[in-house]
Amino acid sequence: MPKSSRLQMDQAMSLSLELGRLTQVYNNRLAQLLSDLDVTFPQFTILDYILQMGPEGTSVGQISQAVEVLQPAVTKTVKKFAARGILTVTTVENDKRQKTIVMTPDGAAFIGRLRAALLPDVLNCFENWPADKIERFSSDLVAFRTWLQDNRV
C-alpha cells in the first residue's frame, strides 16, 4: 500500500474517532446544561424544529426525518410537551391518523429559556477564539452536517 494511502487511512480513522469523542463529550455537556429544565438534548432539537416550522406546523414523520430521532421517541416527546401546553396537536381533517404539531406561545417562550440556558456555555467555549476562526469553524460544521444529511446511511 502506498505511503500516502496509509496516511489517509490513519487520518480518516483519527477523524472518525475524534468526531465520536466530540459528540459524546458535547452531548453529555448539553444534557447537564438542560437537566434542570427537564429536557434532553434530543427533545430540545425536536422542540426547536417544531418552532422553526412556524404556524403551519409539522408531523411526527417530518420531525423524525429532520432531526434523526425515531418516530416513537418523537411521539413520546410530543405527548409530554403537549401535556405541558408547549405544543398543540390537531388531527388532519382528511386523515385521522395524521396529526399537525404546532408550537404554542408558551412553547416559544420555553424554547427561549432553553436557548438562554445554553448560551453562556457556548459563549464561554469560544470566548478566546478569533472571529475568523469561529466563522471558519461554523462554516465547516454546516458543510459537514449538510454532507451527512445528503448522504445518510
Side-chain angles (χ1 to χ4, degrees), residues 16-114:
S16 176
L17 291 171
E18 195 59 38
L19 285 167
R21 289 183 195 118
L22 170 82
T23 300
Q24 187 65 37
V25 170
Y26 195 63
N27 282 343
N28 288 339
R29 185 178 193 95
L30 292 170
Q32 287 296 321
L33 292 169
L34 293 171
S35 65
D36 289 342
L37 296 164
D38 189 30
V39 178
T40 65
F41 187 66
Q43 290 171 339
F44 171 74
T45 61
I46 289 168
L47 293 172
D48 194 62
Y49 177 79
I50 295 167
L51 179 65
Q52 290 175 34
M53 293 302 96
E56 295 80 33
T58 187
S59 69
V60 168
Q62 290 167 327
I63 297 165
S64 178
Q65 184 176 5
V67 300
E68 294 199 9
V69 174
L70 295 175
Q71 285 192 14
V74 173
T75 299
K76 185 177 178 181
T77 298
V78 167
K79 285 181 181 179
K80 173 183 177 176
F81 291 103
R84 290 172 56 177
I86 290 170
L87 303 173
T88 59
V89 180
T90 55
T91 302
V92 174
E93 274 187 44
N94 56 353
D95 184 352
K96 300 296 182 198
R97 296 169 298 163
Q98 188 77 343
K99 310 282 188 230
T100 300
I101 304 151
V102 178
M103 184 72 57
T104 66
D106 285 346
F110 181 68
I111 290 290
R113 290 192 301 278
L114 294 176

